[in-house]
Amino acid sequence: MAYDLEKDIYRLLIQEPFFAAVSRHIEKVPCAAIPTAGVRILDDGRFELMYNQKFFEALKDRHRIGILKHEFYHLIFEHCFQRSPDGKKISQRWNIATDMSINCHIKNEIPTDKERDGIEGVLPESFGYEDGLSAEAYYKKLEKDGKGGGGKCNGQHQQGEGEGDGEPCDCGNMDSHDNWGEGEMSGELKELAKERLREALREGMKEAEKNSNGYGNMPADVRKQIVRFVNGTVDWKAVLRQFIGQSQRSSRVNTVKRINRRFPYIHAGKKTLRNANIAISIDQSGSVSD
C-alpha cells in the first residue's frame, strides 16, 4: 500500500493541535518528481506541500512528524515569501540558513546523521553557531565566514575557490526549496498569501489554547513571533483587488454579431462574458475609526 500522509497528520492532531490546524490550510500533493518534500505558494495565494511517498515511507515515525513541522515552519517564518538575500532564485547559502533557523527548534525530531539516515537536517552547531537566530542572521554569518556557498563541502562547510564555483555544498538535503522565488511575486499576491497564513495561524492558536500542550515543544519566543504576525495589519485594498481579480467567472452566449469560425453565417457566434459578483460590507459602528 502507498504511504498515507493523513495518518501522520492525525498523529500531529493528537500530539500538537497547533500544527494540525495549520496543516488544514495546506494542500498536500504526492509527487515522485521531488526527492523529499517541499512547500510553496501557488499563483492564487494558497499553500501546497509536495511530498515523495517513498521518502516518507522509509522514515521513522518521529522523523516524519519532524519534517512536516519543518515544512510548516517555512511558512510560519515566511521563508517562502522571499528570495535569497543575494537575489538568486535558489541559493544554497539561503537554503541552509532557513533550515538552521527551524531545525534548532526541532532537533530531536529530524534526522541529523547523513551516513545512518541517508539525509541530514543541518543544525547551527555543525557550523559553530548558536541556536535561535533568524534565517537572515544565519545567512550573514555564513556569508561572513565563507561557508555554505558554492564549492564542494570539505567537512568544514567551507566555500570553494571563487564565488559560486564548483558544486554546491551538500549540507541539509532534508527538503527541497526549488520552487521558492519562481517568477516575481506581486505585492497583492504576497499580501493575499500572508492573509491566508494569518487565518491559518489564528485557527492554530485557537486549537492550541484548548489543550495544555497545544503548542507541543514550540519555544516561547516563536509563539510571540506568531502572535505579532497574527495581530499585524494588512493592506486590505491590495487583498480586495487580488480577490476580485481571481473571482471572475465567465459564461458564453450566442450572438449573431460575431461570426462562427466553424460554421460561418450558418450558426451564431459565441461571446464570452466575464463578471465578478462581489458583496462588500462596511462596519460603520463607533468602534471603528475613520
Side-chain angles (χ1 to χ4, degrees):
M1 294 178 63
Y3 165 72
D4 185 5
L5 182 68
E6 291 303 319
K7 292 182 178 179
D8 285 318
I9 296 295
Y10 177 75
R11 288 198 299 125
L12 196 59
L13 172 63
I14 301 301
Q15 297 173 13
E16 302 185 49
F18 172 83
F19 288 103
V22 172
S23 170
R24 289 197 288 269
H25 293 260
I26 303 173
E27 184 177 351
K28 293 95 176 166
V29 179
C31 179
I34 189 170
T36 51
V39 68
R40 63 173 179 168
I41 300 174
L42 301 176
D43 293 338
D44 59 359
R46 293 182 296 111
F47 308 116
E48 181 181 74
L49 169 67
M50 297 181 294
Y51 65 98
N52 187 303
Q53 291 177 298
K54 291 184 178 180
F55 166 71
F56 267 82
E57 193 173 31
L59 293 172
K60 299 175 182 177
D61 286 349
R62 74 175 189 277
H63 291 166
R64 285 199 292 265
I65 296 296
I67 290 178
L68 285 175
K69 289 170 62 175
H70 177 96
E71 299 305 327
F72 299 157
Y73 266 125
H74 275 312
L75 288 175
I76 294 171
F77 290 161
E78 302 179 63
H79 296 157
C80 303
F81 291 84
Q82 55 187 316
R83 284 190 179 186
S84 167
D86 58 13
K88 297 178 180 178
K89 287 186 178 181
I90 302 174
S91 166
Q92 185 69 9
R93 182 172 285 147
W94 178 240
N95 289 348
I96 294 173
T98 57
D99 279 356
M100 285 196 295
S101 69
I102 294 172
N103 292 341
C104 61
H105 302 305
I106 52 175
K107 288 184 178 181
N108 298 325
E109 301 173 77
I110 58 171
T112 55
D113 189 334
K114 187 175 180 181
E115 293 184 2
R116 185 180 61 187
D117 301 315
I119 57 174
E120 175 190 18
V122 64
L123 296 171
E125 60 195 47
S126 63
F127 288 85
Y129 302 147
E130 66 270 33
D131 290 344
L133 301 183
S134 67
E136 291 78 9
Y138 283 127
Y139 182 89
K140 290 180 180 179
K141 285 181 172 290
L142 291 170
E143 187 176 40
K144 179 181 178 181
D145 297 338
K147 297 180 179 180
K152 281 190 175 183
C153 179
N154 61 0
Q156 301 297 321
H157 310 288
Q158 295 289 346
Q159 187 171 314
E161 295 295 330
E163 180 67 29
D165 291 340
E167 299 178 13
C169 173
D170 187 21
C171 307
N173 61 343
M174 192 176 70
D175 69 333
S176 172
H177 306 166
D178 290 353
N179 292 290
W180 294 3
E182 286 190 352
E184 291 295 335
M185 184 183 297
S186 65
E188 291 84 357
L189 178 58
K190 184 177 293 187
E191 286 298 334
L192 179 62
K194 285 189 176 183
E195 188 61 18
R196 291 183 188 277
L197 178 59
R198 280 192 181 91
E199 181 60 30
L201 297 181
R202 192 176 292 115
E203 185 176 323
M205 291 169 62
K206 290 180 181 179
E207 291 293 328
E209 290 168 1
K210 298 176 183 178
N211 192 305
S212 60
N213 193 38
Y215 288 98
N217 58 359
M218 181 184 292
D221 59 334
V222 176
R223 296 189 199 180
K224 291 179 181 178
Q225 182 178 338
I226 292 174
V227 171
R228 286 196 299 268
F229 177 77
V230 169
N231 294 333
T233 58
V234 62
D235 185 350
W236 63 268
K237 293 181 181 179
V239 173
L240 180 60
R241 189 182 306 115
Q242 181 75 13
F243 175 78
I244 292 175
Q246 294 178 349
S247 300
Q248 289 186 356
R249 296 293 183 267
S250 61
S251 59
R252 302 181 70 182
V253 297
N254 295 329
T255 174
V256 296
K257 294 182 179 180
R258 187 161 295 179
I259 298 175
N260 189 307
R261 294 182 180 181
R262 189 173 181 184
F263 303 102
Y265 305 107
I266 298 177
H267 295 295
K270 299 289 185 180
K271 182 179 181 180
T272 301
L273 302 177
R274 301 183 184 277
N275 297 296
N277 297 320
I278 305 296
I280 301 177
S281 61
I282 301 176
D283 186 346
Q284 294 181 303
S285 65
S287 62
V288 179
S289 66
D290 293 340

PDB file of all heavy atoms in Angstrom, residues 242-256:
ATOM      1  N   GLN A 242      -6.819  41.832  -5.387  1.00  0.00           N
ATOM      2  CA  GLN A 242      -6.402  40.499  -5.824  1.00  0.00           C
ATOM      3  C   GLN A 242      -7.565  39.525  -5.801  1.00  0.00           C
ATOM      4  O   GLN A 242      -7.742  38.712  -6.713  1.00  0.00           O
ATOM      5  CB  GLN A 242      -5.271  39.996  -4.919  1.00  0.00           C
ATOM      6  CG  GLN A 242      -4.718  38.636  -5.283  1.00  0.00           C
ATOM      7  CD  GLN A 242      -3.824  38.680  -6.499  1.00  0.00           C
ATOM      8  OE1 GLN A 242      -3.434  39.762  -6.926  1.00  0.00           O
ATOM      9  NE2 GLN A 242      -3.517  37.535  -7.071  1.00  0.00           N
ATOM     10  N   PHE A 243      -8.397  39.617  -4.763  1.00  0.00           N
ATOM     11  CA  PHE A 243      -9.530  38.702  -4.631  1.00  0.00           C
ATOM     12  C   PHE A 243     -10.521  38.879  -5.779  1.00  0.00           C
ATOM     13  O   PHE A 243     -11.007  37.916  -6.365  1.00  0.00           O
ATOM     14  CB  PHE A 243     -10.228  38.948  -3.292  1.00  0.00           C
ATOM     15  CG  PHE A 243     -11.475  38.128  -3.108  1.00  0.00           C
ATOM     16  CD1 PHE A 243     -11.389  36.791  -2.762  1.00  0.00           C
ATOM     17  CD2 PHE A 243     -12.726  38.691  -3.276  1.00  0.00           C
ATOM     18  CE1 PHE A 243     -12.534  36.028  -2.588  1.00  0.00           C
ATOM     19  CE2 PHE A 243     -13.865  37.943  -3.112  1.00  0.00           C
ATOM     20  CZ  PHE A 243     -13.777  36.612  -2.762  1.00  0.00           C
ATOM     21  N   ILE A 244     -10.816  40.125  -6.106  1.00  0.00           N
ATOM     22  CA  ILE A 244     -11.760  40.392  -7.192  1.00  0.00           C
ATOM     23  C   ILE A 244     -11.206  39.885  -8.517  1.00  0.00           C
ATOM     24  O   ILE A 244     -11.920  39.286  -9.328  1.00  0.00           O
ATOM     25  CB  ILE A 244     -12.069  41.898  -7.276  1.00  0.00           C
ATOM     26  CG1 ILE A 244     -12.871  42.336  -6.051  1.00  0.00           C
ATOM     27  CG2 ILE A 244     -12.846  42.222  -8.553  1.00  0.00           C
ATOM     28  CD1 ILE A 244     -13.134  43.820  -5.984  1.00  0.00           C
ATOM     29  N   GLY A 245      -9.907  40.098  -8.729  1.00  0.00           N
ATOM     30  CA  GLY A 245      -9.291  39.634  -9.976  1.00  0.00           C
ATOM     31  C   GLY A 245      -9.358  38.127 -10.135  1.00  0.00           C
ATOM     32  O   GLY A 245      -9.471  37.606 -11.250  1.00  0.00           O
ATOM     33  N   GLN A 246      -9.323  37.388  -9.016  1.00  0.00           N
ATOM     34  CA  GLN A 246      -9.359  35.927  -9.072  1.00  0.00           C
ATOM     35  C   GLN A 246     -10.769  35.370  -8.969  1.00  0.00           C
ATOM     36  O   GLN A 246     -10.966  34.171  -9.094  1.00  0.00           O
ATOM     37  CB  GLN A 246      -8.510  35.347  -7.940  1.00  0.00           C
ATOM     38  CG  GLN A 246      -7.035  35.653  -8.092  1.00  0.00           C
ATOM     39  CD  GLN A 246      -6.234  35.119  -6.938  1.00  0.00           C
ATOM     40  OE1 GLN A 246      -6.798  34.700  -5.935  1.00  0.00           O
ATOM     41  NE2 GLN A 246      -4.924  35.134  -7.052  1.00  0.00           N
ATOM     42  N   SER A 247     -11.747  36.245  -8.716  1.00  0.00           N
ATOM     43  CA  SER A 247     -13.117  35.776  -8.535  1.00  0.00           C
ATOM     44  C   SER A 247     -13.961  35.907  -9.794  1.00  0.00           C
ATOM     45  O   SER A 247     -15.155  35.672  -9.767  1.00  0.00           O
ATOM     46  CB  SER A 247     -13.782  36.565  -7.395  1.00  0.00           C
ATOM     47  OG  SER A 247     -13.084  36.384  -6.195  1.00  0.00           O
ATOM     48  N   GLN A 248     -13.369  36.319 -10.895  1.00  0.00           N
ATOM     49  CA  GLN A 248     -14.134  36.485 -12.122  1.00  0.00           C
ATOM     50  C   GLN A 248     -14.618  35.143 -12.655  1.00  0.00           C
ATOM     51  O   GLN A 248     -13.884  34.168 -12.676  1.00  0.00           O
ATOM     52  CB  GLN A 248     -13.291  37.191 -13.185  1.00  0.00           C
ATOM     53  CG  GLN A 248     -13.040  38.651 -12.881  1.00  0.00           C
ATOM     54  CD  GLN A 248     -12.337  39.364 -14.015  1.00  0.00           C
ATOM     55  OE1 GLN A 248     -11.970  38.735 -14.998  1.00  0.00           O
ATOM     56  NE2 GLN A 248     -12.171  40.660 -13.892  1.00  0.00           N
ATOM     57  N   ARG A 249     -15.850  35.118 -13.078  1.00  0.00           N
ATOM     58  CA  ARG A 249     -16.432  33.945 -13.708  1.00  0.00           C
ATOM     59  C   ARG A 249     -16.827  34.297 -15.126  1.00  0.00           C
ATOM     60  O   ARG A 249     -17.256  35.421 -15.396  1.00  0.00           O
ATOM     61  CB  ARG A 249     -17.662  33.457 -12.917  1.00  0.00           C
ATOM     62  CG  ARG A 249     -17.332  32.971 -11.520  1.00  0.00           C
ATOM     63  CD  ARG A 249     -16.500  31.686 -11.581  1.00  0.00           C
ATOM     64  NE  ARG A 249     -16.233  31.163 -10.252  1.00  0.00           N
ATOM     65  CZ  ARG A 249     -15.153  31.447  -9.549  1.00  0.00           C
ATOM     66  NH1 ARG A 249     -14.244  32.269 -10.062  1.00  0.00           N
ATOM     67  NH2 ARG A 249     -14.978  30.930  -8.357  1.00  0.00           N
ATOM     68  N   SER A 250     -16.714  33.386 -16.034  1.00  0.00           N
ATOM     69  CA  SER A 250     -17.038  33.655 -17.436  1.00  0.00           C
ATOM     70  C   SER A 250     -18.181  32.749 -17.878  1.00  0.00           C
ATOM     71  O   SER A 250     -18.344  31.635 -17.393  1.00  0.00           O
ATOM     72  CB  SER A 250     -15.823  33.415 -18.329  1.00  0.00           C
ATOM     73  OG  SER A 250     -15.402  32.082 -18.255  1.00  0.00           O
ATOM     74  N   SER A 251     -18.999  33.270 -18.800  1.00  0.00           N
ATOM     75  CA  SER A 251     -20.076  32.495 -19.400  1.00  0.00           C
ATOM     76  C   SER A 251     -20.119  32.818 -20.889  1.00  0.00           C
ATOM     77  O   SER A 251     -19.738  33.910 -21.308  1.00  0.00           O
ATOM     78  CB  SER A 251     -21.416  32.835 -18.732  1.00  0.00           C
ATOM     79  OG  SER A 251     -21.706  34.217 -18.876  1.00  0.00           O
ATOM     80  N   ARG A 252     -20.588  31.885 -21.673  1.00  0.00           N
ATOM     81  CA  ARG A 252     -20.624  32.058 -23.127  1.00  0.00           C
ATOM     82  C   ARG A 252     -22.075  32.119 -23.592  1.00  0.00           C
ATOM     83  O   ARG A 252     -22.912  31.323 -23.170  1.00  0.00           O
ATOM     84  CB  ARG A 252     -19.880  30.914 -23.813  1.00  0.00           C
ATOM     85  CG  ARG A 252     -18.423  30.791 -23.377  1.00  0.00           C
ATOM     86  CD  ARG A 252     -17.724  29.664 -24.083  1.00  0.00           C
ATOM     87  NE  ARG A 252     -17.519  29.978 -25.490  1.00  0.00           N
ATOM     88  CZ  ARG A 252     -16.957  29.136 -26.358  1.00  0.00           C
ATOM     89  NH1 ARG A 252     -16.573  27.934 -25.950  1.00  0.00           N
ATOM     90  NH2 ARG A 252     -16.789  29.478 -27.618  1.00  0.00           N
ATOM     91  N   VAL A 253     -22.350  33.079 -24.470  1.00  0.00           N
ATOM     92  CA  VAL A 253     -23.697  33.240 -25.028  1.00  0.00           C
ATOM     93  C   VAL A 253     -23.600  33.306 -26.549  1.00  0.00           C
ATOM     94  O   VAL A 253     -22.560  33.678 -27.113  1.00  0.00           O
ATOM     95  CB  VAL A 253     -24.381  34.511 -24.482  1.00  0.00           C
ATOM     96  CG1 VAL A 253     -24.574  34.414 -22.974  1.00  0.00           C
ATOM     97  CG2 VAL A 253     -23.554  35.755 -24.815  1.00  0.00           C
ATOM     98  N   ASN A 254     -24.694  32.966 -27.209  1.00  0.00           N
ATOM     99  CA  ASN A 254     -24.751  33.053 -28.672  1.00  0.00           C
ATOM    100  C   ASN A 254     -25.032  34.482 -29.105  1.00  0.00           C
ATOM    101  O   ASN A 254     -25.799  35.196 -28.461  1.00  0.00           O
ATOM    102  CB  ASN A 254     -25.853  32.131 -29.208  1.00  0.00           C
ATOM    103  CG  ASN A 254     -25.555  30.671 -28.939  1.00  0.00           C
ATOM    104  OD1 ASN A 254     -24.402  30.272 -28.900  1.00  0.00           O
ATOM    105  ND2 ASN A 254     -26.596  29.873 -28.742  1.00  0.00           N
ATOM    106  N   THR A 255     -24.405  34.907 -30.193  1.00  0.00           N
ATOM    107  CA  THR A 255     -24.644  36.236 -30.738  1.00  0.00           C
ATOM    108  C   THR A 255     -24.428  36.224 -32.248  1.00  0.00           C
ATOM    109  O   THR A 255     -23.449  35.654 -32.743  1.00  0.00           O
ATOM    110  CB  THR A 255     -23.725  37.288 -30.080  1.00  0.00           C
ATOM    111  OG1 THR A 255     -23.893  38.549 -30.742  1.00  0.00           O
ATOM    112  CG2 THR A 255     -22.266  36.867 -30.140  1.00  0.00           C
ATOM    113  N   VAL A 256     -25.363  36.869 -32.985  1.00  0.00           N
ATOM    114  CA  VAL A 256     -25.239  36.944 -34.447  1.00  0.00           C
ATOM    115  C   VAL A 256     -24.239  38.022 -34.859  1.00  0.00           C
ATOM    116  O   VAL A 256     -23.883  38.128 -36.041  1.00  0.00           O
ATOM    117  CB  VAL A 256     -26.613  37.225 -35.089  1.00  0.00           C
ATOM    118  CG1 VAL A 256     -27.574  36.068 -34.835  1.00  0.00           C
ATOM    119  CG2 VAL A 256     -27.205  38.538 -34.559  1.00  0.00           C
TER     120      VAL A 256
END
